[in-house]
Amino acid sequence: MKIGLVDVDSHNFPNLCLMKLSEYHTRRGDWVEWWNPKGRYDLVYKSRVFTDTYSKDTIEVNNAEQVIQGGTGYGPGGKDLPYEIEHIRPDYFLYPRFLGTAYGFLSRGCPRNCGFCIVSLGPHLVQQGDVVRVRQPDVQSLGEVHQRPAGGKLF
């Protein structure tokens, strides 16, 4: 299966959801790459953290059998990632400049309830994980921890 990823907010900061989806599909043996409008895909994921105030979604995907879009940037009420994807080690190779860095949630939500913020529509403050689970292994050991199927990925 060929999977395309779209970071609607751009590639300036890692999109944790796309990193987890990439890892999940790579482990299944799927071909995963950043979406290319000239390519052809079985499935494309569009992920968006910010609303139109910060970044408009002007990306029209018409070269895939299926398109799934999600994230807080599309408003409240979206589906959560399945457990096996939510709790997988993210694919840090999507953002090579951040190798050796760890991203994850120790908590989700916010206790402040600001009216302008979409986070206030969700849980107020929920423990999500711990530092040991979120911690990224040394870059030297990534090859052992993060095996790629034959063919790998092109980024």
Side-chain angles (χ1 to χ4, degrees):
M1 194 171 192
K2 189 171 180 184
I3 310 295
L5 304 176
V6 180
D7 184 347
V8 175
D9 299 312
S10 80
H11 303 290
N12 294 326
F13 195 78
N15 182 306
L16 193 57
C17 177
L18 291 178
M19 293 166 70
K20 290 179 178 192
L21 288 166
S22 175
E23 181 65 20
Y24 172 78
H25 281 285
T26 298
R27 287 185 186 186
R28 288 184 40 182
D30 297 331
W31 185 269
V32 180
E33 65 184 31
W34 289 116
W35 174 77
N36 181 334
K38 295 179 182 174
R40 186 80 198 132
Y41 300 92
D42 298 300
L43 174 61
V44 170
Y45 290 104
K46 292 174 68 177
S47 180
R48 184 175 181 203
V49 176
F50 302 104
T51 62
D52 282 344
T53 306
Y54 177 76
S55 60
K56 299 199 183 303
D57 182 1
T58 59
I59 301 166
E60 189 173 321
V61 175
N62 53 18
N63 58 345
E65 295 297 317
Q66 182 181 10
V67 178
I68 298 174
Q69 65 183 33
T72 54
Y74 291 112
K79 293 182 179 178
D80 291 339
L81 290 173
Y83 182 89
E84 65 272 12
I85 298 175
E86 181 64 51
H87 294 90
I88 202 167
R89 180 180 299 279
D91 180 358
Y92 286 88
F93 290 100
L94 280 178
Y95 300 92
R97 76 178 208 197
F98 292 102
L99 283 173
T101 306
Y103 289 96
F105 292 101
L106 298 179
S107 65
R108 294 237 174 136
C110 179
R112 290 184 181 71
N113 256 344
C114 302
F116 62 84
C117 181
I118 195 167
V119 174
S120 66
L121 299 175
H124 290 288
L125 195 57
V126 179
Q127 182 176 351
Q128 191 69 27
D130 56 55
V131 173
V132 173
R133 190 179 69 104
V134 172
R135 187 185 72 79
Q136 172 70 9
D138 294 335
V139 175
Q140 311 303 358
S141 64
L142 279 174
E144 300 165 16
V145 173
H146 201 93
Q147 296 294 322
R148 292 278 171 229
K153 300 192 243 185
L154 295 175
F155 291 109

